[in-house]
Amino acid sequence: MRFHIAALLGVAHLAFAAPFLNGSTRRLPDGMPNPSPSELETIELNAHGTLPNGPPPVGISEGGITNLKLIAFNELFEVAFFDQLITNITDKAMGYRFTDDEDYDFVLNGLKVILAQEELHALDANNALAHVGIDPIEPCQYTFPVHDYDAALLLATTFTDVVLVTLQDVVERFALGGDFALTRGISSVIGQEGEQQGWFRVMQGKVPSELPFLTTSDLNFAFTAIQNFVVPGTCPNIDSIPLKTFAPLNVITPPAGETKNIKVSFDDPDGIDEDTLWLTYINQRNLPIVEPLRIISKENGTITAKALFPYEAHEMNGLTIAVVTKTEGPFPNAYSVANETLAGPGLFIIN
């Protein structure tokens, strides 16, 4: 009964619905990111669990600190998203109305638990930073380009996928930096995010589990992707996060489950031979796939180009991360792709 979202909504897919969030100075809920003891108690009650109370690590490596900063940056964005989504459903905003009270309660109650759990994730990361004398990451103002519940759910599915693939990189970097005490906690978060993602997928009529081995990624791609929802100039200490922000990549014609050319656009880079650019795909736990990028047009500082999306040859289901690279590789991993990226990531999910 709750598997097909369009059936739940009285006004799904409206072309002129109320905006999801307008980039206002809306505060985060529950006193975030600095809740009082009573507010924290409420968050834990809503989350069906508590912050970890074991001893924090004695020290954290430089790479580990970068990991925690990115996690906090992402989790604060997610808190803002789910808080606004809950508000829109509660207020019965146009595009967020349910035709059945049972479905309304089921979705709203589930989202409230998810919100509280994301709040605890943000607090856990910021608490670890504070423990080693690093200023916690502060929230920004955010804007989300969706206008109804269907679109909001699709966006939540996409950024949760990005979280899941990025946390693989986080765990590896913790291990490389000797931050073994932090790996178990992050692994528990991966499990929680996976449960959350399965629920989002079922609500869209999809099978709960996306892939046997989820797509992998690099921290820098997630850092860039999150900034698509940030109002520029509103992040108090984003400059303290030592990660790259790539130029945007617009996927004009996203692929379906077939081999075909896709069209993309991006800013015309200075000092780059535009005849030797490639579109590189990261999909599942396979080696990155590189295809020649053929220029279609150059106009007003923007390049429009096309490249093959070789779906059948690699069974490219699930999340794909597409970026424009300066070389054709070969690339052994996502980290090496990030080092040669000009624009991206473009994100799309098949299945």
Side-chain angles (χ1 to χ4, degrees):
M1 160 172 88
R2 304 182 178 108
F3 294 165
H4 297 282
I5 294 305
L8 307 184
L9 304 174
V11 286
H13 304 300
L14 285 183
F16 300 98
F20 186 67
L21 185 61
N22 61 10
S24 68
T25 56
R26 178 184 177 89
R27 293 178 181 271
L28 295 184
D30 304 317
M32 291 289 295
N34 301 299
S36 67
S38 62
E39 287 170 328
L40 177 57
E41 185 177 349
T42 298
I43 292 172
E44 292 179 326
L45 183 65
N46 292 336
H48 296 181
T50 66
L51 278 172
N53 63 4
V58 175
I60 302 175
S61 72
E62 183 176 343
I65 289 170
T66 299
N67 279 344
L68 292 169
K69 287 182 174 182
L70 176 66
I71 291 169
F73 182 63
N74 173 74
E75 296 294 358
L76 291 169
F77 144 72
E78 292 195 33
V79 168
F81 175 89
F82 288 116
D83 176 55
Q84 184 62 52
L85 178 55
I86 288 168
T87 297
N88 285 358
I89 294 172
T90 302
D91 293 348
K92 295 181 170 58
M94 188 69 74
Y96 299 87
R97 300 173 185 173
F98 289 73
T99 58
D100 186 290
D101 288 342
E102 183 181 355
D103 293 324
Y104 171 87
D105 291 338
F106 175 78
V107 170
L108 195 58
N109 291 339
L111 289 172
K112 287 178 178 179
V113 173
I114 288 171
L115 169 61
Q117 291 173 347
E118 302 295 7
E119 289 175 318
L120 292 185
H121 293 169
L123 291 172
D124 190 47
N126 266 340
N127 287 348
L129 290 172
H131 175 72
V132 292
I134 303 296
D135 289 339
I137 297 300
E138 300 179 42
C140 313
Q141 294 176 35
Y142 307 92
T143 183
F144 305 101
V146 295
H147 302 277
D148 60 35
Y149 181 66
D150 280 2
L153 190 63
L154 181 59
L155 178 57
T157 302
T158 302
F159 69 65
T160 303
D161 247 354
V162 172
V163 171
L164 284 164
V165 304
T166 303
L167 289 179
Q168 297 174 44
D169 194 29
V170 166
V171 171
E172 183 171 292
R173 290 175 186 243
F174 275 148
L176 290 171
D179 299 309
F180 303 112
L182 296 171
T183 57
R184 191 178 295 270
I186 291 301
S187 297
S188 73
V189 171
I190 293 173
Q192 182 276 335
E193 296 285 350
E195 291 176 335
Q196 178 176 305
Q197 182 74 325
W199 189 61
F200 293 156
R201 288 177 58 83
V202 168
M203 294 292 285
Q204 296 173 82
K206 300 178 178 181
V207 296
S209 54
E210 182 175 306
L211 291 166
F213 301 96
L214 294 184
T215 296
T216 192
S217 187
D218 178 88
L219 299 186
N220 296 282
F221 294 140
F223 185 57
T224 299
I226 296 164
Q227 291 179 70
N228 289 328
F229 310 106
V230 166
V231 178
T234 66
C235 299
N237 59 351
I238 189 175
D239 291 341
S240 74
I241 305 174
L243 293 170
K244 300 175 185 176
T245 301
F246 301 113
L249 176 66
N250 178 32
V251 182
I252 301 171
T253 55
E258 60 180 333
T259 296
K260 60 181 292 187
N261 285 325
I262 66 170
K263 188 185 297 184
V264 299
S265 65
F266 53 98
D267 291 342
D268 191 353
D270 295 329
I272 296 293
D273 183 356
E274 295 150 1
D275 294 325
T276 56
L277 295 179
W278 287 264
L279 197 61
T280 298
Y281 303 106
I282 302 170
N283 178 259
Q284 303 181 59
R285 291 287 291 117
N286 298 320
L287 294 173
I289 300 160
V290 184
E291 293 290 341
L293 196 58
R294 296 182 288 280
I295 307 299
I296 298 172
S297 65
K298 293 169 56 178
E299 187 176 353
N300 299 324
T302 298
I303 292 177
T304 301
K306 64 180 180 179
L308 183 69
F309 179 72
Y311 173 81
E312 276 93 356
H314 303 279
E315 198 164 341
M316 295 174 69
N317 289 309
L319 176 69
T320 292
I321 299 169
V323 299
V324 177
T325 54
K326 297 175 285 185
T327 73
E328 60 180 324
F331 297 112
N333 50 41
Y335 174 79
S336 62
V337 174
N339 283 341
E340 295 294 332
T341 292
L342 284 176
L347 305 169
F348 40 84
I349 301 171
I350 296 175
N351 83 0

